[in-house]
Amino acid sequence: QVINELVREHAGERSARYLGAVEEVLVESANPKNAREVCGRTRGNRVTFFAGSIDELKGKLVRVQITQTHPFYLRAARIRGEEPW
């Protein structure tokens, strides 16, 4: 119990550093809990969720701005006006 709480606390502190940052995310899949979102990973291997179509974005790098941080994942908004590559 104590170890799990410490891990969650430290992971939350590490994730908090990303708030407001612009990151590139490699889109891997749809969010299994929300079909209107995709899931990918930053260059630092952080799982990140943001609105988008998996049919359009799978396998592409997308620039996003981190809007929320959680101990084990991030939430973001896609930066509009830039095409995924």
Side-chain angles (χ1 to χ4, degrees), residues 2-42:
V2 175
I3 291 175
N4 287 340
E5 289 174 20
L6 285 173
V7 166
R8 180 177 285 285
E9 180 181 328
H10 288 280
E13 290 170 2
R14 285 193 313 274
S15 285
R17 299 176 193 160
Y18 286 88
L19 188 61
V22 173
E23 295 283 331
E24 287 183 340
V25 174
L26 176 61
V27 178
E28 299 175 332
S29 64
N31 180 347
K33 295 183 180 180
N34 183 345
R36 293 177 293 180
E37 290 185 339
V38 294
C39 175
R41 292 182 183 268
T42 66

Side-chain angles (χ1 to χ4, degrees), residues 1-3 9 11-12 16 18 21 27 29 36 43 47 53 56 58 63 69 72 74 77 79 85:
Q1 281 286 9
V2 175
I3 291 175
E9 180 181 328
Y18 286 88
V27 178
S29 64
R36 293 177 293 180
R43 291 189 181 271
V47 172
S53 165
E56 174 193 356
K58 187 171 185 175
R63 284 173 46 93
T69 63
F72 302 107
L74 305 170
I79 297 176
W85 65 94

Side-chain angles (χ1 to χ4, degrees), residues 57-84:
L57 299 174
K58 187 171 185 175
K60 294 186 177 171
L61 284 171
V62 179
R63 284 173 46 93
V64 299
Q65 183 168 24
I66 306 304
T67 57
Q68 294 179 354
T69 63
H70 299 272
F72 302 107
Y73 66 94
L74 305 170
R75 290 210 166 271
R78 186 172 168 187
I79 297 176
R80 293 295 175 183
E82 292 191 22
E83 293 298 315

